[in-house]
Amino acid sequence: MTKQYEIGMIGLAVMGENLARNMASRGYKVAGYDIDASRVKAVNHRFGQSNLQAFETLESFIHVLKKPRVVMMMIKAGKPVDETIAKLLPFLEKGDIIIDGGNSLYKESMERYQRLESLGIHFLGMGISGGEEGALTGPSIMPGGSMEAWNQVKPLFQSIAAKTVDGFPCCDWVGTDGAGHFVKMVHNGIEYGDLQLINEVYDVMKRILQLSNPEMADLFKQWNQEELESYLIEITGDILSYQDENGSYLVDSILDTAGQKGTGKWTAIASMEEGVPLSLITEAVYARMISAQKDQRIQASIRYPKTRTSFTGDKQAFLKALKDALYSAKILSYAQGYLLLKKASETYSWNLNFGGIALLWQGGCIIRSVFLNRIKEAFTRNPNLENLLLDDYFHQEIVDRIQSLRDVLIQAIQHQIPTPSLSSALAYFDGYTSDTLPANLLQAQRDYFGAHNYERIDQPRGIFFHTKWTTSSGDTASNPYQE
């Protein structure tokens, strides 16, 4: 068979198949391969006469690709990626391109980039968001790695990506080695935060205001016409109004234990490694963990019964406060996420385009929203913006809404409703906007028990001191360091 296929797709499960179909629909000739022979047969049965053809062996799959070969993997992250690369290498030549489109850890992508580039093989770690539908109709794509490789495949991937309302593709190179997968990881972490905030607001509506599913669905649909307009707000309205074949609301029959694939946890770990407070997203990860402890929660609820009281305030005013609380917490969550992007960009010399990243997320991905336009505008005004909270637009929005977040949390605490992410949003805001924190006592305690030194307010920064707090204290102090 002639070498006529412009790209090869390894992994023909839902995401891989739909991306391949997307490419084929744009006129590209796509070869497919999967270790599961049934998937190969299924693809050929349904699409074999189109631009998409699947092959039964890796060798036959590679053989039909045009040079330089472009091979994309949509497979499980971790060991399977390295195993697949090892199988590919004997068939590849210098100048060929390997693309990992799965949810790989960015550090592993950095290692693969260095290893493959040393062999003359180009590597792209490509974050993709949008789920099953997005893969087929237009996802958000976050490529990182080889710039030379990106320039070769750019027309293909920008053609299949989602587009903004202005027609810009939600797909562009973000940086070298693992940058693409890092940006996708932070996207997923922000997604964790968005989902948890919405769920906490839903819980407050349901348990404090005792709203019905149709009433809550209508509220979310209304909010989706306003400043909270987003994919996640939209689907929440759809979910709350969905009835099963018995006429019951399906959401009420779903077990309250949440799963996770690991990207939220990776984001939290990265924030600790980079020294960036990512409290809201981290609390969202922990909320999923505690949800999984269903049996223990049932036992604990019996031993510690909650006393529910009725809401006696103005319901409409509280709903307005609830919307404002959600919007202000969303601002604070994205502020934290962008701080992590900024710090990692400095650490790894990625030179990330923060406004450009907001553009990538405006279409196709799970966190797509009108809100991202505001972030793009903020970085257009000031590309060196240190924190979204220092932007004039976000400053005014927080000033106008932060009291609503406090009011909602007061009610949640009084009604014994857990709101870990909403609470952490306010704690971060109050900490970030405090010119004085109790860390002076903390430093004294550390110096007392560990001779860790401290700085003084009446001396220049960078000069450290140690005190002999007791007669038994030694004179030797530790070298100053940041934990």
Side-chain angles (χ1 to χ4, degrees), residues 8 24 51 79 168 182 199 212 288 290 313 350 362 405 413-414 461:
N51 288 334
K79 188 177 179 181
F168 293 102
F182 190 91
N199 278 263
S212 66
R288 294 196 188 192
I290 199 167
W350 283 333
Q362 282 185 30
L405 180 56
I413 291 168
Q414 290 177 339
R461 292 295 306 269

Side-chain angles (χ1 to χ4, degrees), residues 79-97:
K79 188 177 179 181
V81 174
D82 289 318
E83 291 175 343
T84 301
I85 290 174
K87 292 176 182 177
L88 282 170
L89 285 177
F91 301 108
L92 300 183
E93 301 171 1
K94 288 184 177 181
D96 289 343
I97 299 168

